[in-house]
Amino acid sequence: MKKYDNVMMNNAYSWANESCCKRKKVGAIIANEGRTISNGYNGTISGAVNNCEKKCEKCNGKGKLDLDIDCPVCKGQGIITNKDVIHAEANAILFAANRGIPLRGTTLYVTTIPCIECAKMIIPAGIVRVVYAETYHDLSGKKLLLENGIEVEKFSENNF
């Protein structure tokens, strides 16, 4: 329900702050009729050392290859995401699945638009609406969601 979009997106940002990731903190809330069903944030798998990034080997953590040329691997940040990091959307979906909580007909609120891998989980999970705040450079996840009948909206406090 659009009535709760502002509150739920604020909650998603609160959960994003729990992430130990340095490059990008992302939070997600799955809700139904204004009630939170599940939440998540990006981080490592349960039980693993909560270290989301490692030094980029290509530029030795400097972010630059030469003078003012950004490293193409880390995009000038000097760090890259570890392979065992789970996205916020996946964490929220997996939490619900682990506890037998059905997600059919729910809305996912996420601080950054879902990637293609998360979109592949959102569709069969039964989530029918995705509200996101920030756009990411790769919009293939959004495209897949729309192609599969998922309502996708960019959050704006002015719309609600």
Side-chain angles (χ1 to χ4, degrees), residues 11-87:
N11 287 341
Y13 272 104
S14 291
W15 279 106
N17 287 329
E18 293 299 312
S19 174
C20 291
C21 296
K22 295 176 185 121
R23 289 180 63 220
K24 183 76 175 161
K25 293 177 180 288
V26 181
I29 298 286
I30 301 174
N32 192 14
E33 298 179 4
R35 304 272 181 196
T36 299
I37 305 244
S38 186
N39 55 51
Y41 53 89
N42 56 330
T44 56
I45 57 174
S46 295
V49 175
N50 205 0
N51 185 5
C52 298
E53 294 96 2
K54 63 182 176 184
K55 182 169 74 169
C56 177
E57 294 176 9
K58 175 108 175 150
C59 66
N60 199 26
K62 295 176 185 165
K64 304 276 185 198
L65 294 180
D66 287 322
L67 304 172
D68 293 329
I69 300 171
D70 281 350
C71 173
V73 175
C74 67
K75 297 177 179 55
Q77 294 184 328
I79 54 176
I80 57 174
T81 302
N82 287 327
K83 299 218 182 294
D84 62 348
V85 169
I86 299 176
H87 290 181

